[in-house]
Amino acid sequence: VGASGFVGQHVWEHLRSVGLEVVGTQAHARKPELVAFDILQHKLTDCVDRSFFEREGQVFVILCAAVSDMDRCLQDRGPSHRVNVEQTIQVIDEAYALRAKPVFISTGFVFDGTVGYYTEDSPLSPVNEYGRFKAEVEDYLRNRAPETFVVRLDKTVGDRPHPQNLFSEWYERLTQDMPIICI
């Protein structure tokens, strides 16, 4: 879910490259090889045939879809919460109902960064809305579906100029003679 985004695109491409049968979804990008799926409007089975989930072997639903822009999560808290928490939990519940195993892409921002070397058992202590949203889903999973695989990524970058990532944004700012602002 979310194969048109930065992380989702790379996950989808890798899984296909190793020969796995993969269905990738997109909400807004119009890539013909991806299935239209708007997390705010659809259920998985609205867009992916139910028979895909009934195959032999394990089926995974990898949740890459998110509002990941931290400023947007703060400024548009309600809509961002709906995508990152409410609808994500709905997809997780639907995956389990279909006997698929969800894989939740979370973030290191569920921690405040004061200690470091966090483990799966470290208490969550987010300091921004994006981290709080991801922590809310992790709490849900811990209480309702502790066997769910949670992947915590930090800032992700790539070596391609598109889609945008930290390095491509810096390059763009440099070519426009604009400053790069870092904390």
Side-chain angles (χ1 to χ4, degrees):
V1 177
S4 63
F6 184 73
V7 171
Q9 175 184 344
H10 287 84
V11 169
W12 181 77
E13 288 174 357
H14 174 72
L15 294 175
R16 287 186 63 196
S17 76
V18 297
L20 294 175
E21 186 173 358
V22 180
V23 174
T25 71
Q26 63 186 337
H28 303 295
R30 295 295 159 236
K31 297 180 178 180
E33 62 273 14
L34 300 178
V35 174
F37 174 80
D38 185 338
I39 197 168
L40 294 172
Q41 298 177 13
H42 297 124
K43 293 188 175 293
L44 289 172
T45 53
D46 292 342
C47 305
V48 178
D49 192 276
R50 186 176 288 274
S51 64
F52 182 81
F53 299 96
E54 296 169 349
R55 300 169 194 278
E56 270 194 49
Q58 187 61 62
V59 175
F60 294 89
V61 175
I62 303 172
L63 292 131
C64 300
V67 175
S68 59
D69 182 314
M70 291 190 205
D71 290 335
R72 186 170 161 207
C73 288
L74 178 62
Q75 295 164 351
D76 296 327
R77 188 180 193 288
S80 298
H81 186 272
R82 186 160 180 236
V83 169
N84 289 355
V85 179
E86 298 165 30
Q87 297 305 116
T88 295
I89 288 172
Q90 181 176 313
V91 172
I92 289 167
D93 289 344
E94 185 181 6
Y96 274 113
L98 292 165
R99 297 188 184 152
K101 297 274 188 187
V103 175
F104 178 59
I105 305 296
S106 189
T107 177
F109 287 107
V110 297
F111 304 114
D112 59 19
T114 58
V115 178
Y117 300 101
Y118 297 102
T119 69
E120 291 81 8
D121 299 320
S122 297
L124 305 182
S125 55
V127 294
N128 61 41
E129 288 304 297
Y130 179 68
R132 281 190 270 281
F133 294 160
K134 293 292 191 171
E136 194 171 336
V137 175
E138 284 195 32
D139 283 338
Y140 176 84
L141 292 170
R142 190 174 293 111
N143 293 323
R144 294 268 181 102
E147 68 281 2
T148 302
F149 188 60
V150 176
V151 179
R152 291 188 185 127
L153 304 178
D154 288 312
K155 186 66 177 174
T156 54
V157 297
D159 59 356
R160 299 182 204 166
H162 297 287
Q164 277 200 315
N165 63 75
L166 181 67
F167 294 147
S168 65
E169 290 170 11
W170 285 359
Y171 177 76
E172 188 176 310
R173 294 187 73 78
L174 288 170
T175 60
Q176 296 175 6
D177 202 28
M178 298 174 68
I180 296 172
I181 302 169
C182 300
I183 296 178

